[in-house]
Amino acid sequence: MDASSVRRNPIIGSASLDLPPMAEVIANNIDLLTQILLFFPAKSLIRFKSVSKHWLSLISDSQFAATHSRRNPRPSISGLFLSWHFPNCQTEKYTKSVSLQGHENRPTLAFLDGVGVALVRPKITHSSNGLLLCKCRYSAHSSDHYLVCNPTTKTHTLIPDPPEFSSGSVRSSSRAFLAFDPSKSPGYKVVFLGECYSNSVTNLYICVYCSKSASWKRFRVPDGRHTHEVLCGGVIYWLSHKGVVLGFDIDSEKMIEKSTNPPKIPGVALMMYFGECDGHLIFVQLNITSALEFIILEMDKDNSRWIVKFLVNLEPLCSMGSKFSYYCVLCVVKEDKEKDFQLVLDLGGTVVSYNVMNQTWNVLNDMAPGESVSYMANPYIESLSPL
């Protein structure tokens, strides 16, 4: 092939082979090219940035990224960010990503290495539709500060501290959540739950940061005693001391109360897990007569009652040679909208993904005995969502 057969394409922006007529039309029509690229997953588009300067400019454009996220609001979960700290070490924390499909190319938080101090690395507190909420410190003895980042695009933005935090009457938040739904809005909200001291009385409060207005709002929660907070479908749920499921609707900024207590099933009493999966509340209860048996309950679509989804027995894990002195449920996920539940379990230091229906499992992370404690698992997806 001689040099005369190679020419410069105005859209691709580099020397290229002669294109077929239809490909030529697409390459020269920026609107048509944009519509085609919007169908590709975020991970592929990141690679496409190296095709040319024009493609880099197009895919990096915030409007294109927002449109892509809006059209692909809830792609399948790619993997998990696992966080833990080592015994006898109060400051150093470790985070790594694992793939649910066994992929080797996984995101990291290395792009946050320059944020905060080295002894207190940014720690993930919550994830939502491709974005991560992390906390960091600017000095070894400073209070926590928060940032939102996108591990796919390796971008981040700092969240301004709530005014209440500097008053001296407020303890640092007990939990922090990130609420982001690109199908509704390109903006996100950060929600803090904490305790406020006034006249020797402790009250629960909620602070909500809106990225669109870059402002905070503060709300008083009537019931100050709460446990096991969960963000699901734009509502923060928790169990009150009465066992009633309470909630705070982030969009309407109103409290809600559900009388749908988890059902009392004979032989099942101890709560193991209260969380969210695929937009539904999940409740896991342990069988008090067998340490390896538990039940998975799911809130129905109308949020009116709990449905028994699975009766689980982990005996197959033992029969396949897995030995563990204890276990806990880190999270419940679905790799695909149509696939079975995947339980992410910490088996005494070994993290596995357990398929409830098939009773098969994959090791996601294996630590030396006694080396790891306090595992946390935050799902992640690939997303171009701009910050």
Side-chain angles (χ1 to χ4, degrees):
M1 184 177 295
D2 56 33
S4 62
S5 63
V6 178
R7 57 190 175 81
R8 185 169 298 275
N9 184 280
I11 296 298
I12 296 181
S14 59
S16 60
L17 299 178
D18 280 330
L19 297 176
M22 183 57 64
E24 183 79 17
V25 172
I26 296 174
N28 285 280
N29 188 321
I30 191 66
D31 293 330
L32 183 57
L33 178 62
T34 298
Q35 293 303 315
I36 293 175
L37 291 179
L38 286 173
F39 282 95
F40 283 87
K43 192 172 183 179
S44 298
L45 292 174
I46 294 297
R47 295 198 302 268
F48 291 170
K49 286 184 176 183
S50 61
V51 170
S52 70
K53 291 182 178 179
H54 286 89
W55 283 41
L56 172 63
S57 176
L58 172 61
I59 299 172
S60 300
D61 182 73
S62 60
Q63 183 175 354
F64 174 87
T67 302
H68 183 272
S69 298
R70 186 173 64 253
R71 292 192 180 184
N72 304 274
R74 295 181 183 88
S76 300
I77 294 175
S78 302
L80 305 167
F81 274 99
L82 299 177
S83 302
W84 69 96
H85 66 82
F86 290 100
N88 303 319
C89 183
Q90 299 299 319
T91 57
E92 191 73 44
K93 298 183 183 294
Y94 296 85
T95 300
K96 68 176 294 186
S97 60
V98 295
S99 172
L100 293 176
Q101 295 85 22
H103 298 159
E104 295 184 358
N105 188 15
R106 304 184 299 271
T108 71
L109 297 184
F111 66 97
L112 297 177
D113 284 349
V115 180
V117 294
L119 291 178
V120 188
R121 297 176 180 175
K123 176 186 176 183
I124 301 173
T125 63
H126 196 236
S127 62
S128 181
N129 290 315
L131 301 184
L132 303 177
L133 177 65
C134 303
K135 65 180 179 181
C136 61
R137 294 184 180 181
Y138 297 130
S139 66
H141 303 289
S142 70
S143 59
D144 292 328
H145 299 270
Y146 289 81
L147 61 87
V148 175
C149 70
N150 185 329
T152 303
T153 60
K154 297 180 174 57
T155 56
H156 78 278
T157 182
L158 294 174
I159 302 299
D161 294 336
E164 292 83 3
F165 274 29
S166 60
S167 65
S169 63
V170 177
R171 181 186 298 175
S172 295
S173 65
S174 58
R175 287 296 304 274
F177 297 91
L178 177 63
F180 174 59
D181 187 347
S183 66
K184 295 180 179 179
S185 170
Y188 57 83
K189 292 184 178 181
V190 176
V191 185
F192 290 164
L193 275 70
E195 295 176 339
C196 178
Y197 301 100
S198 178
N199 298 324
S200 301
V201 177
T202 302
N203 298 310
L204 179 69
Y205 72 90
I206 293 179
C207 284
V208 180
Y209 173 79
C210 177
S211 65
K212 278 190 171 182
S213 61
S215 61
W216 288 93
K217 288 185 178 181
R218 179 181 173 182
F219 306 91
R220 168 80 180 278
V221 178
D223 191 339
R225 289 172 287 179
H226 64 289
T227 58
H228 304 93
E229 306 94 342
V230 174
L231 175 60
C232 179
V235 178
I236 295 180
Y237 296 97
W238 62 85
L239 303 179
S240 74
H241 66 288
K242 299 177 182 178
V244 177
V245 178
L246 300 176
F248 177 79
D249 190 303
I250 299 174
D251 289 334
S252 66
E253 300 176 348
K254 295 180 179 179
M255 292 292 302
I256 60 175
E257 179 175 325
K258 293 184 176 296
S259 59
T260 51
N261 293 329
K264 294 182 179 180
I265 302 174
V268 178
L270 301 178
M271 185 188 73
M272 292 182 59
Y273 177 80
F274 182 52
E276 178 270 349
C277 178
D278 196 26
H280 294 269
L281 286 175
I282 300 293
F283 201 91
V284 179
Q285 291 178 305
L286 180 67
N287 188 334
I288 59 177
T289 62
S290 174
L292 295 179
E293 294 181 355
F294 53 87
I295 185 172
I296 300 178
L297 304 167
E298 181 184 69
M299 184 71 74
D300 68 0
K301 293 182 179 180
D302 297 329
N303 287 331
S304 59
R305 63 190 180 96
W306 292 94
I307 301 174
V308 177
K309 294 293 292 186
F310 297 102
L311 297 173
V312 181
N313 190 328
L314 296 183
E315 190 65 32
L317 284 175
C318 299
S319 65
M320 287 186 282
S322 177
K323 298 180 180 180
F324 48 91
S325 57
Y326 72 91
Y327 72 94
C328 66
V329 180
L330 297 180
C331 64
V332 182
V333 300
K334 285 184 180 180
E335 294 183 43
D336 189 90
K337 299 297 182 183
E338 304 300 326
K339 289 187 177 180
D340 303 326
F341 275 62
Q342 303 285 328
L343 288 176
V344 181
L345 305 170
D346 177 9
L347 307 179
T350 300
V351 179
V352 302
S353 174
Y354 184 73
N355 188 299
V356 176
M357 288 292 294
N358 300 333
Q359 296 185 344
T360 56
W361 58 292
N362 294 310
V363 175
L364 300 178
N365 193 65
D366 199 359
M367 303 293 292
E371 190 176 25
S372 64
V373 293
S374 299
Y375 263 114
M376 291 184 61
N378 287 282
Y380 74 83
I381 63 175
E382 276 119 14
S383 169
L384 294 181
S385 297
L387 298 175

